[in-house]
mmCIF file of all heavy atoms in Angstrom:
data_model
loop_
_atom_site.group_PDB
_atom_site.id
_atom_site.type_symbol
_atom_site.label_atom_id
_atom_site.label_comp_id
_atom_site.label_asym_id
_atom_site.label_seq_id
_atom_site.Cartn_x
_atom_site.Cartn_y
_atom_site.Cartn_z
ATOM 1 N N ASN D 49 -67.293 -125.317 182.925
ATOM 2 C CA ASN D 49 -65.880 -124.942 182.914
ATOM 3 C C ASN D 49 -65.124 -125.981 182.102
ATOM 4 O O ASN D 49 -65.233 -127.174 182.388
ATOM 5 C CB ASN D 49 -65.304 -124.918 184.335
ATOM 6 C CG ASN D 49 -65.876 -123.780 185.145
ATOM 7 O OD1 ASN D 49 -65.691 -122.605 184.813
ATOM 8 N ND2 ASN D 49 -66.622 -124.108 186.178
ATOM 9 N N CYS D 66 -79.535 -131.726 176.066
ATOM 10 C CA CYS D 66 -78.665 -131.508 177.229
ATOM 11 C C CYS D 66 -77.847 -130.221 177.113
ATOM 12 O O CYS D 66 -77.116 -129.865 178.039
ATOM 13 C CB CYS D 66 -77.750 -132.705 177.464
ATOM 14 S SG CYS D 66 -76.452 -132.858 176.238
ATOM 15 N N LEU D 71 -74.142 -124.666 173.670
ATOM 16 C CA LEU D 71 -72.751 -124.370 174.019
ATOM 17 C C LEU D 71 -71.945 -124.002 172.767
ATOM 18 O O LEU D 71 -71.183 -123.034 172.780
ATOM 19 C CB LEU D 71 -72.113 -125.555 174.755
ATOM 20 C CG LEU D 71 -70.735 -125.264 175.350
ATOM 21 C CD1 LEU D 71 -70.806 -124.107 176.350
ATOM 22 C CD2 LEU D 71 -70.143 -126.491 176.028
ATOM 23 N N GLU D 89 -57.580 -118.192 172.826
ATOM 24 C CA GLU D 89 -56.164 -117.808 172.835
ATOM 25 C C GLU D 89 -55.913 -116.621 173.756
ATOM 26 O O GLU D 89 -55.281 -115.631 173.376
ATOM 27 C CB GLU D 89 -55.693 -117.536 171.405
ATOM 28 C CG GLU D 89 -55.762 -118.818 170.580
ATOM 29 C CD GLU D 89 -55.311 -118.663 169.160
ATOM 30 O OE1 GLU D 89 -55.590 -117.610 168.561
ATOM 31 O OE2 GLU D 89 -54.681 -119.597 168.647
ATOM 32 N N PRO D 98 -69.675 -112.933 165.926
ATOM 33 C CA PRO D 98 -69.211 -114.194 165.336
ATOM 34 C C PRO D 98 -68.140 -114.026 164.262
ATOM 35 O O PRO D 98 -67.122 -114.731 164.286
ATOM 36 C CB PRO D 98 -70.487 -114.799 164.729
ATOM 37 C CG PRO D 98 -71.612 -114.179 165.465
ATOM 38 C CD PRO D 98 -71.149 -112.824 165.940
ATOM 39 N N LEU D 126 -65.755 -116.251 152.672
ATOM 40 C CA LEU D 126 -64.632 -115.339 152.455
ATOM 41 C C LEU D 126 -65.112 -113.915 152.200
ATOM 42 O O LEU D 126 -64.488 -112.948 152.632
ATOM 43 C CB LEU D 126 -63.803 -115.800 151.256
ATOM 44 C CG LEU D 126 -62.987 -117.063 151.464
ATOM 45 C CD1 LEU D 126 -62.313 -117.456 150.167
ATOM 46 C CD2 LEU D 126 -61.952 -116.866 152.565
ATOM 47 N N LEU D 146 -58.808 -130.004 150.563
ATOM 48 C CA LEU D 146 -58.928 -130.601 151.900
ATOM 49 C C LEU D 146 -60.116 -131.557 152.002
ATOM 50 O O LEU D 146 -60.024 -132.597 152.635
ATOM 51 C CB LEU D 146 -59.075 -129.501 152.970
ATOM 52 C CG LEU D 146 -57.779 -128.864 153.463
ATOM 53 C CD1 LEU D 146 -58.081 -127.634 154.308
ATOM 54 C CD2 LEU D 146 -56.931 -129.853 154.267
ATOM 55 N N VAL D 180 -60.451 -122.529 165.667
ATOM 56 C CA VAL D 180 -61.353 -123.465 166.334
ATOM 57 C C VAL D 180 -62.490 -123.779 165.367
ATOM 58 O O VAL D 180 -63.134 -122.865 164.848
ATOM 59 C CB VAL D 180 -61.936 -122.856 167.629
ATOM 60 C CG1 VAL D 180 -62.925 -123.828 168.281
ATOM 61 C CG2 VAL D 180 -60.833 -122.463 168.620
ATOM 62 N N ASP D 191 -75.984 -141.990 156.089
ATOM 63 C CA ASP D 191 -76.111 -143.396 156.481
ATOM 64 C C ASP D 191 -74.767 -143.921 156.993
ATOM 65 O O ASP D 191 -73.720 -143.304 156.810
ATOM 66 C CB ASP D 191 -76.717 -144.256 155.364
ATOM 67 C CG ASP D 191 -75.816 -144.380 154.168
ATOM 68 O OD1 ASP D 191 -74.587 -144.467 154.364
ATOM 69 O OD2 ASP D 191 -76.316 -144.379 153.037
ATOM 70 N N GLU D 199 -65.811 -140.114 158.934
ATOM 71 C CA GLU D 199 -65.019 -140.081 160.169
ATOM 72 C C GLU D 199 -63.530 -140.131 159.842
ATOM 73 O O GLU D 199 -62.724 -139.422 160.446
ATOM 74 C CB GLU D 199 -65.364 -141.270 161.072
ATOM 75 C CG GLU D 199 -66.629 -141.052 161.858
ATOM 76 C CD GLU D 199 -67.054 -142.300 162.611
ATOM 77 O OE1 GLU D 199 -66.228 -143.194 162.854
ATOM 78 O OE2 GLU D 199 -68.255 -142.363 162.944
ATOM 79 N N LYS D 269 -74.125 -153.409 197.584
ATOM 80 C CA LYS D 269 -73.832 -152.830 198.905
ATOM 81 C C LYS D 269 -72.411 -153.195 199.278
ATOM 82 O O LYS D 269 -72.028 -154.367 199.210
ATOM 83 C CB LYS D 269 -74.778 -153.433 199.955
ATOM 84 C CG LYS D 269 -76.001 -152.585 200.217
ATOM 85 C CD LYS D 269 -76.652 -152.968 201.537
ATOM 86 C CE LYS D 269 -77.742 -151.992 201.940
ATOM 87 N NZ LYS D 269 -78.571 -151.516 200.845
ATOM 88 N N SER D 291 -61.724 -152.048 195.007
ATOM 89 C CA SER D 291 -62.444 -150.846 195.438
ATOM 90 C C SER D 291 -61.683 -149.618 194.986
ATOM 91 O O SER D 291 -60.468 -149.547 195.121
ATOM 92 C CB SER D 291 -62.595 -150.839 196.951
ATOM 93 O OG SER D 291 -61.344 -150.620 197.541
ATOM 94 N N LEU D 324 -82.874 -164.527 178.400
ATOM 95 C CA LEU D 324 -84.109 -163.878 177.929
ATOM 96 C C LEU D 324 -84.041 -163.583 176.437
ATOM 97 O O LEU D 324 -85.047 -163.530 175.754
ATOM 98 C CB LEU D 324 -84.321 -162.538 178.648
ATOM 99 C CG LEU D 324 -84.539 -162.557 180.153
ATOM 100 C CD1 LEU D 324 -84.682 -161.129 180.664
ATOM 101 C CD2 LEU D 324 -85.770 -163.381 180.490
#
Side-chain angles (χ1 to χ4, degrees):
N49 291 297
C66 72
L71 189 59
E89 296 180 323
L126 289 175
L146 277 169
V180 178
D191 67 37
E199 280 173 21
K269 265 198 171 39
S291 70
L324 296 178

